[in-house]
Amino acid sequence: MCRIVAKKELAPTVKSLTIDAPLIAKKARPGQFIIIRIDEKGERIPLTIADLDVLQGTITTIFLEVGKTTKHLGSLNDGDVLADLAGPLGKPTEIKKYGKVICVGGGVGVAPLYLEAKALKDAGNKVISIIGARTKELLILEKEMRRISDELYITTDDGSRGHHGFVTDVLQGLITKQKIDMVLAIGPTVMMKAVAKMTKNYNIKTIVSLNPIMVDGTGMCGTCRVTVGGETKFTCVDGPEFDAHLVDFEELMNRQRTYLEEEKVALERWERCHH
Ligand code: NAD
Ligand code: FES
C-alpha cells in the first residue's frame, strides 16, 4: 500500500502525485519507471518518475488524464492509498559525457526528460532543451528545465507561448547550424518518430523513450514488445530507451491503438458512475 503525500494540478488535465515509496526513491535512476494499480480491480499502468527525494523517501509522477485509469488517478488526493506500486523498472538512461546534447520533450514527455537532462548536465554535457505543448497551459516544468539547461527553447502548437509550431521546427534549425553529439527525445510517439527521421539525415545519435501498453513490466507477458533493428524487444526490460533510428514506429503506433474501443467503453462507464 502506497500513500499519496502530495497532489498538484499542473494543468486541468495534468496532475502530479508525490507518493511515499522510500525503497524506490533510494534505487531509481533517470530513465526508469514505475507501474501502479489503483485498487484490486484496477489495470496496471506504467508511469514516469518525474522526480525523487531520497531523504523524504518519496517519488513524484506526472501524468496526463487520457483514459479511465489516469482520470481515476487524477481524482485521488493527499492521504489516499494505491493498491500497489512496482519499481523502479526498466534500464536507466546511459548517462555519460557526449558533448553537446539536445533534449526534446513533448507534452507530458517533459516529465521523464527532466531527470535525464539534469543527469546529462551533471555529467558535463552542454544541454540544449526544447520543450513543447499544444498550448501554454499544458507546458510543464519550464522553470526546472530552464535551471538545468544551457539553452531552453519553448514551442506551442497554437503559438500561445514561445515558437508557434512543433518542437521539431526548432530542432531542425539547431541541428543545421551546429554539430550535435546526441539527441534525447521523449513525448508522443509521432513526435519521437519525427525527431528520429530528422536526426537520421544528419547522422546524430538519437535516443527515445518508448511507451507501449504494458501489463507486468517484468518481461513475462510480451505486451510491450517492439521491433528494434529487426529484433523483438520487450520495452519494460530491454528499454524503455532505444536507438531511435532502429525503432519500428509504425508497428508501435498500431499496437498502441489495439484497445482503443475497450478504453473508450471503460472511460464512458467510469464517467457515468462518477458524475
Ligand atoms: P501532445 O500531443 O500534446 O504533443 C506534445 C508536443 O509534441 C507538441 O506540442 C509538439 O511540439 C510535439 N509533436 C506532436 N506531434 C508532432 C509531430 N507530428 N511532429 C513533430 N512534433 C510533434 O503530447 P501529450 O498529449 O502531452 O502526450 C504526451 C505523450 O507522451 C503521451 O502519448 C504519453 O504517453 C507520452 N509519454 C511518453 C513517455 C515516455 O517515457 N516515452 C513518458 C510520458 C509520456
Ligand atoms: Fe509484460 Fe513488458 S509489460 S513483458
Side-chain angles (χ1 to χ4, degrees), residues 48 64 106-109 112 132-134 155 157 165-168 186-188 190-192 194 209-211:
T48 285
L64 182 70
V108 285
R134 268 170 270 159
T155 70
D157 302 7
F166 284 169
V167 283
T168 39
I186 311 184
V190 62
M191 177 206 94
M192 296 192 282
S209 178
L210 305 184
N211 58 328

Side-chain angles (χ1 to χ4, degrees), residues 1-8 15-26 34-38 45 47-54 56-63 73 76-86:
M1 300 267 266
C2 309
R3 190 168 300 278
I4 297 168
V5 293
K7 177 196 183 177
K8 271 194 222 151
K15 307 280 160 68
S16 143
L17 293 181
T18 299
I19 305 165
D20 195 23
L23 295 177
I24 298 178
K26 211 154 105 187
I34 53 171
I35 285 192
I36 66 118
R37 203 165 54 118
I38 299 177
I45 56 159
L47 290 176
T48 285
I49 301 175
D51 210 352
L52 46 86
D53 186 328
V54 182
Q56 299 291 323
T58 58
I59 56 169
T60 298
T61 184
I62 294 176
F63 59 92
L73 193 62
L76 301 183
N77 283 304
D78 303 13
D80 285 342
V81 163
L82 302 173
D84 49 55
L85 175 62

